[in-house]
Amino acid sequence: MRWLTRRGAAAALAVGVATLWGFGWRGFALLLAFFVSGSLLTPETRGRRRNERQVLANGGVAALAALAGSWAAFAGALAAATADTWASEIGRRSRTLPRLIITGRPVHAGTDGGITLLGTAGGVAGAACIAGLSLWLPAVTYSLRFGSAIASAGIIGMLLDSVLGATVQGRTRWLDNDAVNLAATLGGAAAALVVMS
């Protein structure tokens, strides 16, 4: 697949199988909504293909939540991953310089922790998209409160990603973008569970 390296495809297969095992086609459809939308937003001219670390950073928490049978944590993790991806890719099209999330200081495009109004709006739209699908796809009926919780979890995860990017990303070799993405999806899953409790 042109969007993945060979190892990335193996990791995606593992995430997909775990999701299918936990939630069947409904969970797989939500996972696919994240993966396809994020891949379509990423310009092919950048020549980036996702490797196994990127796949697991964005989909690993959701896969574990699927195996645990928690639809809220599963959807919250995917909402965070989608919000962050949409924010990054749509934000690249902004005509204004990003501002560092913790200080508001203008920074160069691509700076870790830099956000734009356009990108943030894109991230909110991504979280809302997953929240809407998470209401429509399950076999059981969820309330609008559930949808609001998932959208909120996605936004929280997106903002956490930016804060971590501005404060700790790059401080050590292992605190890279993938580690921050993993923390953001974990934050999204946790936020969904907290809001719904």
Side-chain angles (χ1 to χ4, degrees), residues 134-197:
S134 73
L135 280 174
W136 177 71
L137 281 170
V140 297
T141 302
Y142 286 100
S143 66
L144 289 179
R145 177 174 173 262
F146 180 85
S148 298
I150 300 306
S152 298
I155 294 167
I156 289 168
M158 172 186 69
L159 295 175
L160 176 61
D161 185 278
S162 295
V163 170
L164 292 176
T167 55
V168 301
Q169 186 170 332
R171 295 292 173 89
T172 63
R173 189 169 62 89
W174 61 271
L175 275 173
D176 58 5
N177 186 61
D178 296 331
V180 168
N181 285 345
L182 179 63
T185 57
L186 186 58
L193 291 174
V194 168
V195 173
M196 287 304 296
S197 63

Side-chain angles (χ1 to χ4, degrees), residues 24 60 71 100-101 126 150 183 186:
W71 183 260
L100 201 63
I101 190 170
I150 300 306
L186 186 58

Side-chain angles (χ1 to χ4, degrees), residues 36 64 105 161 166 171:
V36 173
L64 291 176
R105 176 175 55 89
D161 185 278
R171 295 292 173 89

